[in-house]
Amino acid sequence: MTHDPRHQIVMLGASMFARRLTFGRTGNISVRDGEQILLTPTGASLGALDPDGLSIINVAGDHLGGPKPSKEGFLHAAVYRSRPSAGAVVHLHSTYSVAVSCLADLDPADALPPLTAYYVMRVGRLPLLPYHAPGDPSLRAVAEETARDHHAFLLANHGPVVAGTDLAAAADAVEELEETARLFLLLDGHKTRPLTPRQVNDLSPDRRGV
C-alpha cells in the first residue's frame, strides 16, 4: 500500500465510491501532512479524485494551495485543532448513517446504542449535532467543542464526521459507524440486547483511536 497521502486519499475515495458509501459529488476526505492538510476539493466526486488536484489548507482553515477546498473544510480544520493526534478525517453522506441522523427522538449525547464490540472500540459514543445547512460556518464552534472529547460525531440530517490517527483508522471507524447504523435500522421494532455498561467499560480504553 502506498504511503503517499495524496494517493491514499484517491484510493480510499475510489473504494468508498465503488461501495456506495458515498455517491455523486458528496463527502470529503482529509489527511494531515506535516503542517498542512490535504483535502478533497469542492465539487469533486470521491470516485474520480486526482492526486495532483487536492486542496491544501491549514488548521485555521485557510486555503493555502490547490483548487478551492470543500465548503466543509472548516469542519476538518475544527477537528484537527481539537485533536492534535488526528491524522485524517472522513465526512460521508452514507445512506444508513444519514437515515439515522434524520430520526426523531435520538439521544443527542449518543445517537447509536453499543450493539457490537467493534462499534464501541472504533467509534465509542456518537454525539448528534444540531442541524446546520451544509457549509454553515456557525457549525465550526460546535464541531470544535464536540471534537475535544469525541473523535466521531453525527450531523443531524446530514451525515457522519470521523477522525483517526491515520486514514486507515478513520476509514475503519466511519465504515463501522455506517454498518452499525444499518444494524440499528434493521433491528427497528425488534427487542435488542446492546452491550451492558460493564461490557463497554471492559473493552480497550483506547477504543476511540485518537
Side-chain angles (χ1 to χ4, degrees):
M1 181 178 178
T2 178
H3 296 289
D4 181 343
R6 291 178 176 272
H7 285 91
Q8 288 179 352
I9 290 173
V10 170
M11 291 169 62
L12 178 62
S15 171
M16 287 184 160
F17 189 88
R19 290 179 290 140
R20 298 291 294 167
L21 289 167
T22 184
F23 51 89
R25 298 183 182 187
T26 64
N28 27 79
I29 300 171
S30 68
V31 169
R32 193 196 296 264
D33 187 24
E35 297 301 311
Q36 300 179 337
I37 297 164
L38 300 173
L39 173 69
T40 50
T42 189
S45 165
L46 296 192
L49 296 172
D50 178 354
D52 296 320
L54 299 177
S55 302
I56 302 172
I57 63 172
N58 59 20
V59 292
D62 302 319
H63 183 199
L64 303 180
K68 184 178 179 181
S70 164
K71 63 178 173 290
E72 292 166 335
F74 72 89
L75 271 176
H76 294 249
V79 173
Y80 289 117
R81 287 195 300 273
S82 290
R83 307 190 72 81
S85 62
V89 176
V90 177
H91 165 51
L92 297 178
H93 298 178
S94 45
T95 301
Y96 295 102
S97 298
V98 173
V100 168
S101 82
C102 296
L103 294 175
D105 303 321
L106 292 175
D107 179 357
D110 197 8
L112 284 172
L115 294 175
T116 69
Y118 280 99
Y119 174 76
V120 174
M121 291 188 289
R122 291 177 175 166
V123 178
R125 295 180 68 83
L126 182 70
L128 176 70
L129 275 58
Y131 174 77
H132 291 71
D136 182 349
S138 66
L139 180 57
R140 180 185 292 111
V142 182
E144 190 166 354
E145 176 66 26
T146 302
R148 290 193 180 104
D149 297 314
H150 306 276
H151 79 282
F153 51 87
L154 189 61
L155 306 176
N157 303 83
H158 190 158
V161 178
V162 179
T165 51
D166 54 27
L167 193 53
D172 284 347
V174 78
E175 291 180 36
E176 194 70 41
L177 195 165
E178 174 69 357
E179 186 61 20
T180 302
R182 179 170 176 264
L183 290 172
F184 178 72
L185 294 167
L186 284 170
L187 291 167
D188 184 42
H190 297 273
K191 188 174 181 180
T192 60
R193 188 183 61 252
L195 299 185
T196 66
R198 179 174 180 176
Q199 289 169 332
V200 169
N201 289 332
D202 283 346
L203 294 168
S204 173
D206 63 350
R207 60 186 179 276
R208 289 180 174 81
V210 225

